Amino acid sequence: MFTKVLQLIIGLVWLTNRIHSCSCPGSQHPQNQFCSSDYVFYGVVKNEEFISGPVDDTANNLATWKYTFEDIFKMKGVTEEVGQDVVIETAGNGALCGVRLVVGNGYILMGRTKADGTKTIGLCEFISQIGNLTPFQMAYLFSNGSFSYNGNCRTCRRRCKIGPESRDCKYDPFNPNNGTICLAKNALCLREGRQCRWINNETC
């Protein structure tokens, strides 16, 4: 009897962890993430604040981490001027895709904006320090012309399609092999007239 009860408890704990664990749908190309994000900017973390949930919220499922950034370079969806504060919120529980950032560090963030204007970030969104980017990614992010992420996602109708079914810019987010990683780090899906094509993908 004791053994069966123990097995049931272990099974319930395993199931609970599965239900409440953060799961991201494949390794998206940064260009796709840029185009589908509500905001993109580079900033430095000035302050973090933990806002706890109700007293009985012992797992912090209703808690929030609030991060205040100094806006260094805005790329999309940010109305704050350079030098002003940008506030980003994330879940207080990592199992709900909440993230922890380091005060004093700079990050490029691609996230969502709620209906009330609150900017949020989660583990599945693009979060990176500049030192982890390739020169190609830096150029695509910090420029705004034809050879940039922003320049190739002006509207949904004209956006270059990146994915396993794409005719011109094939990319499988669910199969992160060396070729896929190489495309994410180096290549840009460029629109030329009515067609799109990978550029800087020669080594992939």
Side-chain angles (χ1 to χ4, degrees):
M1 181 66 179
F2 175 77
T3 302
K4 289 184 178 180
V5 172
L6 182 61
Q7 289 174 342
L8 177 61
I9 293 173
I10 292 172
L12 288 173
V13 170
W14 178 85
L15 181 59
T16 301
N17 288 336
R18 292 276 295 185
I19 292 173
H20 294 290
S21 63
C22 179
S23 178
C24 302
S27 178
Q28 299 296 315
H29 191 278
Q31 184 173 337
N32 267 356
Q33 291 180 295
F34 187 106
C35 293
S36 62
S37 295
D38 296 323
Y39 72 85
V40 184
F41 80 105
Y42 171 60
V44 174
V45 182
K46 295 172 57 177
N47 182 56
E48 70 172 357
E49 178 186 2
F50 183 72
I51 303 173
S52 59
V55 177
D56 60 348
D57 181 30
T58 56
N60 292 326
N61 291 326
L62 300 177
T64 302
W65 280 102
K66 181 180 289 188
Y67 289 92
T68 301
F69 284 78
E70 178 183 355
D71 183 13
I72 303 298
F73 192 93
K74 55 183 182 178
M75 305 166 193
K76 176 184 178 183
V78 175
T79 58
E80 292 84 354
E81 297 299 326
V82 172
Q84 292 184 332
D85 289 348
V86 180
V87 177
I88 306 293
E89 294 186 1
T90 189
N93 186 336
L96 299 177
C97 295
V99 296
R100 294 296 307 277
L101 305 174
V102 179
V103 175
N105 283 0
Y107 298 91
I108 293 173
L109 303 181
M110 302 182 187
R112 303 294 177 187
T113 303
K114 295 181 179 179
D116 63 0
T118 302
K119 293 181 176 63
T120 65
I121 195 71
L123 185 64
C124 298
E125 271 90 47
F126 185 98
I127 305 170
S128 180
Q129 294 185 267
I130 283 183
N132 296 327
L133 301 176
T134 67
F136 287 113
Q137 289 174 319
M138 288 283 290
Y140 303 148
L141 282 164
F142 286 93
S143 63
N144 201 36
S146 299
F147 294 91
S148 70
Y149 292 148
N150 200 22
N152 287 279
C153 58
R154 297 297 187 188
T155 65
C156 290
R157 184 176 62 84
R158 291 181 54 81
R159 182 183 299 176
C160 291
K161 304 298 182 183
I162 302 173
E165 305 300 324
S166 174
R167 182 182 66 180
D168 305 307
C169 296
K170 289 187 178 297
Y171 181 88
D172 189 353
F174 301 100
N175 183 26
N177 54 37
N178 289 337
T180 301
I181 295 171
C182 179
L183 289 172
K185 289 184 175 182
N186 301 300
L188 173 76
C189 189
L190 176 70
R191 172 172 286 281
E192 292 180 328
R194 296 184 177 181
Q195 294 184 327
C196 298
R197 67 180 180 89
W198 285 122
I199 63 169
N200 298 324
N201 64 323
E202 293 83 2
T203 60
C204 302

